[in-house]
Amino acid sequence: MIVENLVFYTFSAILLVSSIMVISARNPVHAVLALVATFFLGAGLFVLLGAEFLAMTLVIVYVGAVAVLFLFVVMMLDISFAELRQGFLRYLPVGGLVGLVLVVELVLVELHWTVTPKVLDKPAAPIPPSDQVSNSHALGHILYTQYFYLFQASGLILLIAMIGAIVLSLRSRAHVRRQSVAAQVGRQTADAVAVRQVSTGGGV
Amino acid sequence: MASFWTFVWPLIVIVAAIVAIIIPVLIGVAYLTYAERKVMSAMQRRQGPALVGPLGLLQPVADGLKLFGKEMVIPSGANPGVFLFAPFLTFVLSLVAWAVMPFGAHLVLSNINVGILYLYAISSLGVYGTIMAGWASNSRYAFLGGLRSAAQMVSYEVSMGLIMVTVLLCTGSFNLSEIVLAQQTVWFAVPLFPMFVIFFISILAETNRAPFDLPEGEAELVGGFFTEYSCMNFALFMLGEYSNMILMSAIAVVLFLGGWLPPLNFGPFAPIVNLVPGPIWFALKIAFVLFFFIWMRAAFPRYRYDQLMRLGWKIFLPFTLLWVIVTASALEIFGWLPAVVP
């Protein structure tokens, strides 16, 4: 128990520090790297909670794909952070409000659990004991039975987002030389080479 | 005192186990560089390293010592923190993945439920070492190499993930030991042969090996993302690359070639092949896959970048996606779905 607490506080402390670095770092690339560290430590906290499936998914999706694209964009584009900072005071109230709403929600949930602990006995989906069912099986069971339609709907939304991204970024440009492998492979000697008798000095 | 030892004793055991895994891996890395040079020289009718020690066997040691003696250079425009962290990250990531690798029945450091996801997560982190090195060097060549590598590794990871899904459909478990045990009747390389071939090509691309070694394509990019690295930083990148090769081969062996299970395990052969312990079979199979890595490098010219992207996105991705559906349908229709805990 002592070891677990020690690990938890170490992870949370570094997580808080790196998440502050995300918004305070001067160099945008450092900010993204701090974001990666934040995701990774978040995954560590999930592992401590016994939610290893969520932890691995967090690392695969956010660290392995999303943050790589962030890093890509930040490195490629010449973003001047000084310029971005100019609107700081103007957007502070809106950002602060969103942050406040999130904090209030968290506090409400926590209060709810502390004030009426009985609500924990009546969850929407019963949590199977973790020593009998691994949490990937448990999650799959709930997703594919109870929440099947919602799961499908979220898949469809993602599909629409993907098609939208393709439509927005697809443009056909003239003068682009593309390789057609089928045409190259299907090419015969007869199509490509013509044998001519050329008279001396006559040219082709 | 008793409570003190209940904490310390497991710690000692785990550290000893980690050392017992890492030392053979590092020796394997050293001799993989030697094997690569020897095999390629044999294929090209040359001698290869032959001067240091008998048959040149001490060549890796000499190379390591030489790199220790070099001067460490940090370019003036570089970002020192990230510059030094990148090779370290590459090297560490190539070693931590071994934690879940099953070397034999019950012979595994950490037998976690989500082993295969852990491996996938660690291999998807590998891209950071390259992209950070490329950016922090503050050099055009290194930056282009880093960007190429990032795009390449992200592209091929997608089809690798789908291939893992087909294997998982056949086993019904994320646990690596259970994946190996599911192959007792037939190795997955037989029924899923196309997936095995695509997986092998994908791990070539994932480890930046020829014919997909564009991030370090010396013809156009000098040395790619490690152009600016010297001394032990460079050595860490090299160790990371070769250790990643061994790791990816080990993943291929676990997923498709039956892990530690002996080949020809039937009829008259069974008593003979079972004389050899499982970890030895595991190592031999890894060596077999690694030989193909080296063979590919000796046999094929480097891909062009657009061809690489075309292969990843337009051929492998649709094909693996289709194969996931085919496998799932076959398992469902013939009732071969693995028994799953409720």
Side-chain angles (χ1 to χ4, degrees), chain A residues 2-3 27 29-30 33 36 40 52-53 56-57 59-60 62-64 67-68 71-72 75-76 132-134 136-137 141 179 181, chain B residues 7 79 82 113-114 117-118 120-121 124-125 127-128 131-132 135 143 147 150-151 154 157 172 174 304 306-307 310 340-342:
Chain A
I2 303 169
V3 179
N27 191 328
V29 174
H30 289 173
L33 291 177
V36 170
F40 197 75
E52 70 263 12
F53 183 81
M56 295 305 152
T57 326
V59 174
I60 292 169
Y62 283 91
V63 182
V68 171
L71 205 57
F72 224 85
M75 281 180 177
M76 298 278 277
Q132 289 166 25
V133 183
S134 77
S136 1
H137 279 137
H141 195 68
Q179 181 183 21
V181 174
Chain B
F7 279 124
N79 194 313
V82 182
N113 276 332
V114 288
L117 285 181
Y118 174 82
Y120 191 59
S124 69
L125 285 180
V127 64
Y128 282 101
I131 197 170
M132 278 160 75
W135 177 78
F143 188 57
L147 287 182
V154 171
E157 238 164 46
F174 286 130
R304 214 173 55 210
D306 62 317
Q307 291 172 330
R310 177 177 173 273
V340 174
V341 200

Side-chain angles (χ1 to χ4, degrees), chain B residues 33-95:
Chain B
T33 62
Y34 173 77
E36 178 174 29
R37 294 169 68 177
K38 272 292 187 193
V39 171
M40 277 183 63
S41 62
M43 285 173 179
Q44 296 163 350
R45 309 194 79 179
R46 296 184 284 117
Q47 274 223 311
L51 294 177
V52 191
L55 295 171
L57 272 172
L58 295 177
Q59 186 69 43
V61 184
D63 286 344
L65 286 176
K66 188 197 73 177
L67 278 172
F68 263 117
K70 296 284 179 187
E71 183 194 356
M72 186 152 83
V73 181
I74 299 179
S76 57
N79 194 313
V82 182
F83 184 80
L84 293 177
F85 185 64
F88 171 75
L89 183 76
T90 308
F91 182 60
V92 167
L93 284 178
S94 66
L95 289 184

Side-chain angles (χ1 to χ4, degrees), chain A residues 5 12 19 22 32 41 58 76 83 100 105 115 171:
Chain A
N5 280 337
S12 333
S19 51
V22 174
V32 178
L41 289 159
L58 184 71
M76 298 278 277
E83 223 170 89
L100 193 71
E105 278 179 354
V115 176
R171 53 187 176 139

Side-chain angles (χ1 to χ4, degrees), chain A residues 137, chain B residues 100-102 104-105 108 111-120 160-161 163-189 191-192 199 250-261 282 285 338-339:
Chain A
H137 279 137
Chain B
V100 294
M101 200 57 77
V108 48
N111 194 11
I112 61 173
N113 276 332
V114 288
I116 191 78
L117 285 181
Y118 174 82
L119 286 179
Y120 191 59
M160 260 177 77
I163 294 167
M164 286 178 179
V165 169
T166 45
V167 174
L168 293 175
L169 280 173
C170 302
T171 56
S173 171
F174 286 130
N175 187 307
L176 290 173
S177 301
E178 283 175 33
I179 290 176
V180 172
L181 289 175
Q183 304 180 50
Q184 267 167 334
T185 41
V186 59
W187 295 355
F188 287 144
L192 298 175
F199 189 78
I251 297 176
V253 167
V254 166
L255 289 182
F256 291 103
L257 296 177
W260 70 82
L261 300 171
F282 189 56
K285 287 175 190 174

Side-chain angles (χ1 to χ4, degrees), chain A:
Chain A
M1 208 54 214
I2 303 169
V3 179
E4 267 174 33
N5 280 337
L6 203 68
V7 174
F8 172 76
Y9 283 115
T10 322
F11 276 16
S12 333
I14 308 176
L15 191 146
L16 287 178
V17 171
S18 55
S19 51
I20 289 169
M21 264 185 70
V22 174
I23 51 171
S24 66
R26 283 179 183 280
N27 191 328
V29 174
H30 289 173
V32 178
L33 291 177
L35 184 68
V36 170
T38 313
F39 284 146
F40 197 75
L41 289 159
L45 291 181
F46 271 134
V47 170
L48 282 183
L49 284 172
E52 70 263 12
F53 183 81
L54 281 181
M56 295 305 152
T57 326
L58 184 71
V59 174
I60 292 169
V61 175
Y62 283 91
V63 182
V66 175
V68 171
L69 292 180
F70 273 2
L71 205 57
F72 224 85
V73 171
V74 168
M75 281 180 177
M76 298 278 277
L77 300 180
D78 195 17
I79 300 173
S80 144
F81 250 44
E83 223 170 89
L84 284 180
R85 261 164 219 274
Q86 280 176 355
F88 184 72
L89 280 179
R90 225 178 83 206
Y91 296 118
L92 188 64
V94 184
L97 194 69
V98 173
L100 193 71
V101 168
L102 287 176
V103 169
V104 167
E105 278 179 354
L106 275 178
V107 168
L108 277 181
V109 169
E110 185 65 36
L111 265 184
H112 199 56
W113 287 352
T114 345
V115 176
T116 50
K118 277 183 186 167
V119 77
L120 286 175
D121 301 335
K122 295 192 173 70
I127 304 164
S130 60
D131 52 334
Q132 289 166 25
V133 183
S134 77
N135 60 46
S136 1
H137 279 137
L139 269 177
H141 195 68
I142 288 177
L143 277 185
Y144 287 105
T145 52
Q146 212 168 339
Y147 296 105
F148 182 69
Y149 293 114
L150 290 175
F151 184 70
Q152 290 286 311
S154 57
L156 280 178
I157 292 170
L158 284 175
L159 180 70
I160 292 166
M162 190 179 85
I163 294 173
I166 293 173
V167 168
L168 284 178
S169 59
L170 188 73
R171 53 187 176 139
S172 51
R173 283 173 297 179
H175 315 300
V176 177
R177 295 156 71 93
R178 288 191 193 284
Q179 181 183 21
S180 165
V181 174
Q184 282 180 352
V185 173
R187 214 162 108 139
Q188 301 289 324
T189 322
D191 310 332
V193 182
V195 182
R196 303 244 177 105
Q197 276 292 337
V198 184
S199 57
T200 314
V204 182

